[in-house]
Amino acid sequence: MELLRRPIFSLLLLLSLPISFPSISLGSAVQGEDGHREEEFTEELLLKPLPDRKVLAHFHFENTAQRTQSYGRHHHLFPKAISQLVKKFAVREMELSFTQGRWNYESWGGFDPISSSNAKPPGVELWATFDVPPDQVDASWKNLTHSLSGLFCASINFLESSATYSAPEWAFQPASGNLRYGTLPREAVCTENLTPWLKLLPCRDKAGISSLMDRPSIYRGFYHSQRLRLRPAKIIADGADSGIVLEQTLTVVLQPNGFRTKSSHSSENKIPPTWAMSSLLGRKIEGRCVLAKSSNVYLQLERGLVAELNALKENQEFVGTTVLNDDLIENPAFEISVKPDWVLKEVGNLPTGSSSLMYGYSIGKSTDSGPFDLHLTWKSPMVWSCPRPPLHASRFLMGSGNERGAIAISLRSTGLNEGLYGSNKDKESCVLPVNVFQVVPWYIKVYFHTIKVFIDEQRKAVPDVIEKIRVSPSEDKVLPGVMEMVLKLPCGVKSAAMTLEFDKGFLHIDEYPPDANQGFDIPSAIITFPNVEAAMHFNQFSSSDKSPLLSRFREKNPVQSYTEVLLVPLTTPDFSMPYNVITITCTVFALYFGSLLNVLRKRASEEERLLRAKGRSSPLSRLLAKLRRKKEVEPQSSTTSSSLFSSKLVVKIILVAAIAICWQYFG
Amino acid sequence: MAEISESSNSSKISSPKAEQEEDDFDSNTMRRTKPGLKRLALAFSVLFSFLLGFPLLWKSIEIYRAPLSFKDVDLLFERIKSNPLQFPCNFRAIFVGFDSKTSEELSRLGYSISNRMTGLASKTPQCGTCSGNFSVSVMIDSNSGCVESRHTPNACSHQCGEIRSVDFGANDDTVDDKLESALGDCSGKSYTVVVVNGDTGYKAVIGKYRHAWIVGRFSEEEAVLKISEIFVEVFMKGGNEEGAIHGEFMPVGADGRIVLSYNLLNANPQDWIYDWDFDRIDEDMLSPVVEALRNVANISVESQVLYHTPKSSYSHWDDERGAHIFSVGDLPFFVNSNEWHLDTSIAAGGRSKILHFVVYIPSAKECPLLLQLPDGEISKTNGFISPMWGGVIVWNPPKCLREPESGHPAKHKISSHDLQMINEVFMGQLRQLFGLTSDSLFLGRLGKAIQLTSDKGFTEWELDVLSRQHACFNLHSCATTLGSLSRLVQSLPRMIIMDEIGKQVDFSLEAAKQAENDASLGIFDSSADSSRQARSLAEDAFFHPSIMSVSYYSFEHCFAVYSPFFLPVSLHVILAALKEWKRYKQEKTKYLTWKAKVDTAAS
């Protein structure tokens, strides 16, 4: 505090600052058109009970800015830092995600907009497209990684090296050559990344929906993914990008603190745990962020759940107790504490019979009646399933040892594809295309010719299955190996697998990360189903004008899922090895050199003469002579010289020892 | 082997004589043959090849160091230190309405003015002033024509009688413009004081160009005193006491850039939300200022609006004033760095200076918020500055009226009148950050003078002062940085120096030389410009990433790598050479004794 205090004090005397600054002409003082209103901010929260008794909370904040003259310099709502970033590096589109935990595609869904755009691989994932000539893209990317690294307190700058990022052409996203993609699977995500992310919101976490972000509750969750997405806004009809949209989402999967324990397997246990927003997130919504154009909370009921509820309803109607509305607000299975302001129903071409329901709450209204809190009380057991992706993807390693191995990607049918293509009678010609995008670090040397494809446990010829493939082989220390391919699988496929063999490379001693014994991560592969779109259309309720969250749901994005991150153990050297090698090699050389020199100077006859002169004087020489089977010759009397020699030797040894000791202690 | 056979041969050869010598030949002290040189040559050739190879090895483990011109750096450092940068200035006094004089008399008058000025200016030559190097010329514009003093370098003649025709009773700004049109086309930048002998009351005005005029009735001696004071205190020193800039109060970043970051803080948007039309301020008010300061700094402007930004200390309610009072003592706690996210700008480079200008709109419960001076008065501007950081203004919404509790606060815009007022205060704060006062009156020892202000925020003579001071500061800082760099580089002989650093140092030295040249020619703005470049290049060299990173490849490391081989080997080689040398000497004496013996026997 003292430090802080001193410099500011020195200038307090300047407090009185007489206005002496007249006559600055203010051009046309007329307030112009409502210029800054072009910046818009909305906040939304989606809650969804999940089939495995957890609850999904998805925060969605959207900030729109027009590209005006002063873009990147003067801003009212849009964060200045982001706009400067966009302007400086000519970013066209960008997505940055920080994730902890792995999305469970089986039980949390893999076929809805939330999972296909918000389920992210663990660690950091960053991709961006740039509005620059192709030869400057790499430079822009490197600068961008450094800026983001500073902005979000993360080691995104490690994505700078060309061995960590790649340029996918079509399997990740249909994009021009200006796309760069990189991941850091081992980045730990915590509050220090969330705080700068919150700083970009106009209300930060002081008011509105973002005030729900109680750090301990969020980080206690099973999955936590914080995302920042920049996209060009095409508001004006001519299609030119007239602005930029900053979309910030936070997706968390939380376990409600259920009152029931899951010890028994009774039917009682099938009742999902009752939860409230305040118990789940630890806080209530005190009021909306006044800067937000709209501030809504949604509760989504999945198709599976709605179908179960409808079935229950029919049963009950049959019994004749209650008559239920179509919106299921009153139903025998659960009760919600606040009546929704509007109910939206999914419309359109639905694969399964029932449609999903969305209860909407507008926060602006509910502030009058105290803080907003939503309770969901379950009354009867309920089991349902979530929409799964057509194929469940997983990836694993095969082989053992530190030399070679194989990566296997396995796709297992979830039974959905039959439903999807059930109507298609001509099963032979029906094809399910699957895009696979896989980046492999250079030290995993993948042999792409070893691709083997198995469909329904039958090995298939590669050209029969792979429609299109693009491989960019890795280059040591420079480029990662990238594989993009389109698989065409028959619709009725039960399982498909693909294996790739690899050799483990050696790293230079400088390239090992700290804790190298932990192993090395292979980033997640991305499996995309280009023909299957995860879009949800809700009948627009008039008052819920243009909710950005719902318009994101309406976007026709292909279903996408990420595989696991693989951990490959590599041979890790003893890190003191180089010095040991240097020492031993040098010692050997020195020995060789010394003995060579000694041999060169040796005088054999003279030594023999000396030996003869010494005779039996020393037992060692006698032994040597014996070993050489030399006849002993009568010694000439020279005992004095031998004693002299030995005393000299002793002195020398002592001298060397003394030098060594001195070296040890004073060197 | 050869030696053995040789010795046996020689023993055979010498056998005929052996009979007589056999008895006094002692093999321990004598030998019959010359000692061989082969092993000695071998041992020494190995030793010498090692010694010869040593420089090669030394060369091979040498690390790359770009040649830095240490000598030039030291010279610059010495030069800047021993004689501070001085600019030549031309001063001109024009007497209107005085009796006509001869040229010699005027020269004497000019001499007395410059004497007086030397007395006023500080004794030791200060950096960035012209106290050591100025010329004064005097001129009289009287009814009978114009007379100029001799020795007027750079004399630029204006139309005689033009000054006389100026109506000094008119509006100050008009007079100023007229003077400028009469005198301004001079090529050299000279400062002019016009002394008008008139009957109207005393009045002194310092214009917004490079002129001042004094109207009144006074004697020549009085006029000399007043003229020299205006020359020294205003035009030379810029109206403030200390001439040079202190390092910690330098508002320009090391790369010669300033980012003016304007922030509008809504302490509590639940009460009211205010917004501004900053584009208009930027275009109409700030761009001329940015343009005017172009030589001193490269300025960019940005703005943002922040919400939920309470101040970090409390105010107290004052019934008398009907307002919340925030006293000076709490001012250090006004800026709430936890909640005010006045981010550093990404658009700015790493070493740019960011000056924050903050408009603080208090929340409803502390609405009329006033800052109180130490003497109990209320600050007129309701703002304060913090050197090197920026300035804060508290702006209270009109009437502090809160909307009815509708839950949704209305969004307002700060009116253009208020914006202009705010900007004026900000300009004053910016001037203070640059070390200039914002008083409209200059209080000298001999009376006060009115200071006119410019649309650009800075008058031309103020810009001259700034250019001079910044040129001086930049050169000083450049010399110090380069000096430290050269000391650092010389103290770490095993530090890698990239070529780029050498280039930057050279360019920096070049720019510094250019700045010095311009300074000696009196071109202030280009001198400031080059000196800024010199400083920025010097800082770039000093903070080059290759110096900052692990560039120190230590001698210990080198020793550890090479000693396992060279230590034992050199022991062998040296011992072998020594032993052979010893043996050779010993054998030679043996041979010599035998030879001597043989010789004596023969004789």
Side-chain angles (χ1 to χ4, degrees):
Chain A
M1 213 16 95
E2 270 307 306
L3 266 173
L4 248 172
R5 212 168 180 155
R6 205 166 46 83
I8 299 179
F9 258 137
S10 62
L11 45 108
L12 295 187
L13 308 174
L14 305 170
L15 192 64
S16 95
L17 193 114
I19 309 168
S20 70
F21 219 78
S23 76
I24 287 178
S25 61
L26 183 75
S28 55
V30 186
Q31 286 292 329
E33 67 293 317
D34 211 13
H36 70 278
R37 284 288 154 250
E38 288 156 1
E39 294 184 356
E40 258 180 32
F41 173 70
T42 55
E43 52 173 7
E44 277 156 311
L45 167 65
L46 177 90
L47 293 164
K48 184 163 99 172
L50 294 172
D52 64 344
R53 308 148 59 88
K54 297 187 179 68
V55 178
L56 172 91
H58 176 70
F59 296 84
H60 183 109
F61 305 95
E62 204 163 297
N63 212 331
T64 317
Q66 300 296 303
R67 273 187 204 266
T68 52
Q69 199 70 36
S70 60
Y71 179 78
R73 290 172 58 215
H74 305 310
H75 286 282
H76 304 271
L77 278 175
F78 199 79
K80 194 174 74 175
I82 294 294
S83 66
Q84 286 180 342
L85 201 80
V86 169
K87 197 176 181 193
K88 195 169 180 185
F89 305 122
V91 178
R92 161 171 274 276
E93 259 189 285
M94 188 188 95
E95 182 170 10
L96 171 68
S97 67
F98 295 88
T99 311
Q100 219 165 23
R102 214 155 56 74
W103 182 263
N104 189 341
Y105 287 96
E106 293 275 84
S107 50
W108 299 343
F111 193 9
D112 55 325
I114 289 202
S115 66
S116 60
S117 60
N118 291 296
K120 288 282 161 193
V124 169
E125 187 200 47
L126 172 70
W127 64 263
T129 58
F130 299 92
D131 264 337
V132 292
D135 55 324
Q136 291 168 24
V137 174
D138 285 319
S140 297
W141 166 267
K142 285 171 187 182
N143 288 329
L144 177 71
T145 55
H146 276 269
S147 295
L148 287 174
S149 176
L151 201 59
F152 288 100
C153 291
S155 32
I156 306 171
N157 55 327
F158 285 118
L159 290 176
E160 182 207 13
S161 114
S162 62
T164 51
Y165 68 87
S166 55
E169 279 178 12
W170 37 265
F172 174 63
Q173 256 199 355
S176 56
N178 291 350
L179 177 75
R180 293 292 179 275
Y181 172 91
T183 56
L184 294 171
R186 201 173 287 176
E187 180 77 9
V189 181
C190 204
T191 333
E192 81 261 22
N193 306 118
L194 184 67
T195 310
W197 184 86
L198 280 173
K199 238 162 77 173
L200 303 176
L201 301 173
C203 284
R204 300 200 303 285
D205 56 349
K206 298 282 165 205
I209 287 174
S210 51
S211 65
L212 283 177
M213 289 183 196
D214 175 42
R215 308 298 191 284
S217 321
I218 287 174
Y219 288 99
R220 211 190 293 130
F222 284 76
Y223 176 83
H224 162 260
S225 173
Q226 144 200 347
R227 210 168 62 101
L228 182 138
R229 172 88 202 262
L230 280 168
R231 63 173 89 221
K234 290 191 178 66
I235 296 169
I236 299 166
D238 59 12
D241 55 304
S242 51
I244 192 132
V245 179
L246 169 70
E247 182 189 320
Q248 287 175 266
T249 64
L250 176 77
T251 313
V252 276
V253 174
L254 300 165
Q255 173 80 63
N257 300 325
F259 303 109
R260 280 169 260 268
T261 56
K262 37 182 158 179
S263 54
S264 65
H265 290 276
S266 62
S267 68
E268 180 90 337
N269 203 24
K270 292 278 195 284
I271 299 180
T274 292
W275 52 266
M277 226 160 71
S278 53
S279 72
L280 211 56
L281 291 158
R283 288 183 196 172
K284 294 173 187 172
I285 301 178
E286 299 288 341
R288 65 185 297 178
C289 170
V290 288
L291 302 153
K293 196 171 155 238
S294 66
S295 177
N296 300 326
V297 175
Y298 296 99
L299 177 69
Q300 191 195 353
L301 304 182
E302 278 177 321
R303 291 169 194 152
L305 178 60
V306 172
E308 291 290 325
L309 289 173
N310 279 331
L312 199 69
K313 176 178 94 173
E314 273 161 26
N315 279 347
Q316 299 240 338
E317 270 179 353
F318 188 68
V319 175
T321 46
T322 42
V323 180
L324 293 171
N325 286 329
D326 201 27
D327 57 16
L328 298 171
I329 291 169
E330 283 166 30
N331 67 58
F334 65 82
E335 201 172 89
I336 37 179
S337 64
V338 188
K339 198 170 174 333
D341 296 329
W342 64 86
V343 179
L344 301 177
K345 198 164 183 203
E346 192 185 0
V347 289
N349 182 21
L350 300 171
T352 51
S354 54
S355 59
S356 142
L357 278 179
M358 190 82 97
Y359 297 156
Y361 301 90
S362 172
I363 295 301
K365 288 181 188 165
S366 59
T367 37
D368 309 332
S369 53
F372 177 78
D373 193 7
L374 187 68
H375 290 263
L376 185 78
T377 317
W378 289 92
K379 291 186 293 196
S380 68
M382 188 59 68
V383 178
W384 74 97
S385 67
C386 62
R388 291 191 194 131
L391 297 170
H392 175 74
S394 67
R395 194 178 59 165
F396 50 90
L397 280 179
M398 301 196 300
S400 62
N402 276 338
E403 204 184 346
R404 55 178 62 94
I407 302 174
I409 297 177
S410 111
L411 300 166
R412 215 161 8 83
S413 168
T414 51
L416 181 88
N417 45 350
E418 276 153 21
L420 263 179
Y421 295 91
S423 57
N424 199 333
K425 291 185 179 73
D426 193 3
K427 284 235 168 176
E428 297 305 307
S429 64
C430 166
V431 162
L432 174 69
V434 178
N435 285 0
V436 179
F437 171 58
Q438 164 88 66
V439 181
V440 184
W442 64 266
Y443 41 81
I444 307 292
K445 297 177 196 304
V446 175
Y447 298 112
F448 290 104
H449 70 276
T450 59
I451 292 184
K452 286 183 200 135
V453 184
F454 301 85
I455 288 180
D456 293 336
E457 291 164 21
Q458 300 285 312
R459 181 154 177 202
K460 291 280 161 93
V462 168
D464 292 350
V465 182
I466 295 176
E467 190 185 350
K468 189 176 166 191
I469 185 163
R470 177 184 158 264
V471 164
S472 99
S474 62
E475 196 177 318
D476 277 6
K477 293 161 202 191
V478 179
L479 288 176
V482 181
M483 184 182 78
E484 299 174 68
M485 59 164 87
V486 180
L487 301 174
K488 41 176 191 182
L489 303 174
C491 291
V493 65
K494 289 271 175 297
S495 76
M498 192 181 68
T499 63
L500 265 174
E501 285 172 25
F502 64 83
D503 270 2
K504 297 179 185 176
F506 289 103
L507 277 82
H508 188 262
I509 187 125
D510 296 344
E511 289 157 0
Y512 282 94
D515 192 16
N517 289 302
Q518 193 190 333
F520 290 78
D521 296 300
I522 303 183
S524 298
I526 304 171
I527 312 286
T528 320
F529 303 95
N531 283 7
V532 187
E533 277 159 357
M536 282 174 120
H537 295 261
F538 286 92
N539 58 339
Q540 284 288 336
F541 191 69
S542 56
S543 77
S544 70
D545 57 329
K546 277 208 166 174
S547 151
L549 178 68
L550 295 184
S551 53
R552 291 286 154 266
F553 272 36
R554 225 174 301 130
E555 271 173 14
K556 290 187 174 176
N557 288 325
V559 171
Q560 200 174 51
S561 57
Y562 288 84
T563 64
E564 299 88 343
V565 171
L566 290 182
L567 192 65
V568 182
L570 287 190
T571 36
T572 42
D574 168 12
F575 289 103
S576 66
M577 186 184 67
Y579 191 69
N580 296 347
V581 169
I582 288 171
T583 315
I584 195 157
T585 327
C586 289
T587 313
V588 166
F589 271 109
L591 272 177
Y592 170 74
F593 190 87
S595 47
L596 198 73
L597 200 67
N598 282 339
V599 164
L600 277 175
R601 325 179 6 242
K602 196 161 190 170
R603 292 175 175 85
S605 66
E606 195 178 281
E607 270 170 35
E608 253 169 53
R609 245 187 297 137
L610 273 178
L611 211 65
R612 239 176 282 137
K614 278 178 202 163
R616 239 167 244 216
S617 56
S618 74
L620 186 71
S621 61
R622 222 162 45 212
L623 192 73
L624 275 171
K626 243 183 203 170
L627 281 171
R628 288 173 187 163
R629 301 188 174 179
K630 293 273 163 76
K631 282 169 194 160
E632 284 187 30
V633 186
E634 261 325 285
Q636 291 170 351
S637 62
S638 62
T639 45
T640 50
S641 74
S642 94
S643 71
L644 190 78
F645 175 72
S646 64
S647 72
K648 245 186 186 170
L649 189 74
V650 168
V651 167
K652 273 181 191 167
I653 288 169
I654 289 171
L655 195 70
V656 168
I659 289 172
I661 289 165
C662 289
W663 185 263
Q664 183 74 27
Y665 286 100
F666 304 108
Chain B
M1 270 322 137
E3 203 181 328
I4 298 163
S5 62
E6 196 186 320
S7 69
S8 62
N9 276 352
S10 65
S11 66
K12 271 175 200 160
I13 291 163
S14 61
S15 56
K17 294 181 187 171
E19 309 300 316
Q20 62 206 53
E21 292 168 15
E22 195 62 43
D23 47 338
D24 39 74
F25 180 76
D26 178 8
S27 70
N28 277 337
T29 57
M30 286 180 220
R31 61 181 292 165
R32 292 196 184 88
T33 52
K34 272 192 169 177
L37 283 168
K38 270 176 285 178
R39 286 177 175 75
L40 181 70
L42 181 93
F44 272 87
S45 65
V46 171
L47 180 67
F48 279 118
S49 57
F50 259 80
L51 289 180
L52 285 177
F54 200 69
L56 279 177
L57 176 81
W58 194 250
K59 192 85 192 159
S60 76
I61 60 167
E62 199 174 48
I63 36 107
Y64 182 71
R65 284 161 74 88
L68 293 187
S69 34
F70 296 121
K71 218 177 75 191
D72 289 352
V73 171
D74 290 342
L75 275 178
L76 176 74
F77 190 69
E78 285 305 312
R79 203 162 58 228
I80 297 289
K81 214 156 189 200
S82 57
N83 45 329
L85 198 63
Q86 292 291 315
F87 292 82
C89 299
N90 297 322
F91 296 104
R92 197 160 42 151
I94 298 176
F95 291 86
V96 177
F98 285 82
D99 298 335
S100 186
K101 287 196 169 69
T102 63
S103 185
E104 280 74 28
E105 280 174 316
L106 285 182
S107 296
R108 224 174 298 129
L109 201 60
Y111 186 67
S112 67
I113 291 175
S114 56
N115 261 352
R116 174 76 192 153
M117 281 169 70
T118 323
L120 279 172
S122 55
K123 294 292 165 290
T124 51
Q126 245 182 331
C127 183
T129 58
C130 17
S131 49
N133 185 3
F134 59 86
S135 63
V136 180
S137 65
V138 184
M139 186 182 176
I140 276 197
D141 193 343
S142 65
N143 294 332
S144 53
C146 302
V147 185
E148 277 188 65
S149 67
R150 290 173 308 164
H151 316 300
T152 47
N154 218 340
C156 58
S157 52
H158 58 273
Q159 204 74 37
C160 181
E162 217 175 323
I163 302 288
R164 218 178 333 140
S165 65
V166 174
D167 174 20
F168 286 94
N171 182 3
D172 287 343
D173 283 316
T174 343
V175 176
D176 197 33
D177 289 339
K178 276 191 182 152
L179 279 179
E180 172 66 12
S181 66
L183 299 162
D185 51 346
C186 283
S187 56
K189 285 174 184 170
S190 51
Y191 301 99
T192 313
V193 174
V194 180
V195 186
V196 183
N197 204 358
D199 284 328
T200 49
Y202 171 79
K203 182 182 184 186
V205 181
I206 297 160
K208 51 183 181 280
Y209 302 103
R210 294 187 178 87
H211 324 296
W213 65 93
I214 311 168
V215 183
R217 178 157 293 282
F218 30 65
S219 65
E220 263 170 38
E221 288 71 36
E222 265 182 295
V224 164
L225 291 182
K226 285 188 191 301
I227 289 168
S228 42
E229 185 177 21
I230 286 176
F231 278 158
V232 172
E233 296 298 335
V234 178
F235 290 142
M236 210 188 268
K237 289 187 182 167
N240 55 353
E241 283 309 304
E242 66 256 58
I245 312 168
H246 292 292
E248 67 261 41
F249 291 133
M250 177 68 176
V252 182
D255 62 350
R257 292 170 55 97
I258 304 178
V259 177
L260 299 181
S261 166
Y262 286 83
N263 303 278
L264 179 66
L265 303 190
N266 284 288
N268 189 357
Q270 308 282 0
D271 300 333
W272 42 58
I273 300 170
Y274 277 91
D275 203 343
W276 56 8
D277 190 8
F278 200 84
D279 294 340
R280 189 145 281 138
I281 303 184
D282 189 13
E283 280 163 33
D284 298 341
M285 304 191 222
L286 289 174
S287 47
V289 178
V290 169
E291 182 59 25
L293 289 171
R294 201 187 56 231
N295 294 310
V296 175
N298 185 356
I299 300 178
S300 56
V301 181
E302 41 190 61
S303 80
Q304 61 181 344
V305 185
L306 297 175
Y307 308 90
H308 294 282
T309 50
K311 62 182 172 21
S312 54
S313 185
Y314 297 104
S315 53
H316 61 87
W317 174 253
D318 188 340
D319 271 333
E320 222 172 286
R321 292 194 175 91
H324 294 269
I325 303 294
F326 194 87
S327 60
V328 165
D330 295 330
L331 220 44
F333 305 104
F334 193 91
V335 175
N336 184 351
S337 45
N338 283 336
E339 305 280 353
W340 297 14
H341 295 292
L342 316 170
D343 284 304
T344 52
S345 171
I346 290 178
R351 285 192 287 283
S352 304
K353 182 82 211 160
I354 298 178
L355 295 180
H356 298 284
F357 290 102
V358 172
V359 181
Y360 179 81
I361 299 177
S363 59
K365 65 173 191 287
E366 51 171 17
C367 184
L369 181 68
L370 301 174
L371 300 181
Q372 193 180 34
L373 295 177
D375 56 7
E377 287 293 302
I378 294 299
S379 163
K380 274 186 241 161
T381 57
N382 223 9
F384 63 95
I385 70 161
S386 169
M388 305 298 288
W389 183 85
V392 176
I393 297 177
V394 178
W395 185 79
N396 293 307
K399 292 177 196 157
C400 290
L401 273 182
R402 202 180 159 176
E403 275 77 32
E405 302 273 331
S406 64
H408 201 78
K411 289 172 179 160
H412 307 274
K413 239 177 186 181
I414 300 181
S415 70
S416 61
H417 175 258
D418 283 338
L419 264 188
Q420 188 173 348
M421 206 195 70
I422 287 170
N423 197 54
E424 277 163 16
V425 180
F426 274 151
M427 277 319 300
Q429 293 187 337
L430 184 64
R431 285 168 60 90
Q432 277 197 323
L433 293 172
F434 268 100
L436 298 171
T437 55
S438 296
D439 294 324
S440 57
L441 280 181
F442 167 71
L443 299 171
R445 265 163 287 187
L446 299 169
K448 50 195 173 181
I450 299 160
Q451 285 190 4
L452 297 185
T453 51
S454 160
D455 285 353
K456 293 184 284 185
F458 294 84
T459 61
E460 279 186 29
W461 60 267
E462 280 171 336
L463 288 173
D464 284 348
V465 170
L466 282 183
S467 290
R468 286 199 300 260
Q469 285 179 345
H470 281 248
C472 166
F473 177 87
N474 288 341
L475 272 185
H476 204 268
S477 148
C478 164
T480 326
T481 312
L482 288 181
S484 330
L485 179 69
S486 94
R487 274 198 302 282
L488 175 81
V489 167
Q490 279 168 317
S491 70
L492 296 176
R494 300 202 58 80
M495 190 169 76
I496 299 165
I497 312 282
M498 308 280 276
D499 262 338
E500 210 180 323
I501 297 175
K503 237 179 263 169
Q504 279 166 341
V505 169
D506 286 347
F507 286 147
S508 171
L509 284 171
E510 212 169 284
K513 189 154 276 169
Q514 178 69 35
E516 282 180 304
N517 275 346
D518 288 341
S520 66
L521 293 174
I523 316 169
F524 305 146
D525 41 3
S526 111
S527 169
D529 216 20
S530 322
S531 70
R532 191 154 58 94
Q533 219 174 333
R535 177 179 171 217
S536 134
L537 283 165
E539 296 278 332
D540 280 351
F542 192 81
F543 291 106
H544 196 274
S546 75
I547 287 191
M548 308 287 274
S549 66
V550 195
S551 55
Y552 181 63
Y553 173 55
S554 72
F555 179 72
E556 285 79 3
H557 177 77
C558 195
F559 185 80
V561 168
Y562 289 101
S563 64
F565 179 68
F566 282 99
L567 220 60
V569 165
S570 61
L571 211 71
H572 273 293
V573 172
I574 291 165
L575 275 182
L578 279 176
K579 270 188 182 162
E580 285 302 321
W581 178 244
K582 237 168 92 183
R583 186 190 145 86
Y584 177 75
K585 275 198 337 203
Q586 198 185 336
E587 296 298 309
K588 201 165 181 186
T589 46
K590 277 189 195 173
Y591 173 69
L592 286 176
T593 24
W594 174 76
K595 193 101 189 245
K597 201 165 185 180
V598 170
D599 284 352
T600 48
S603 63

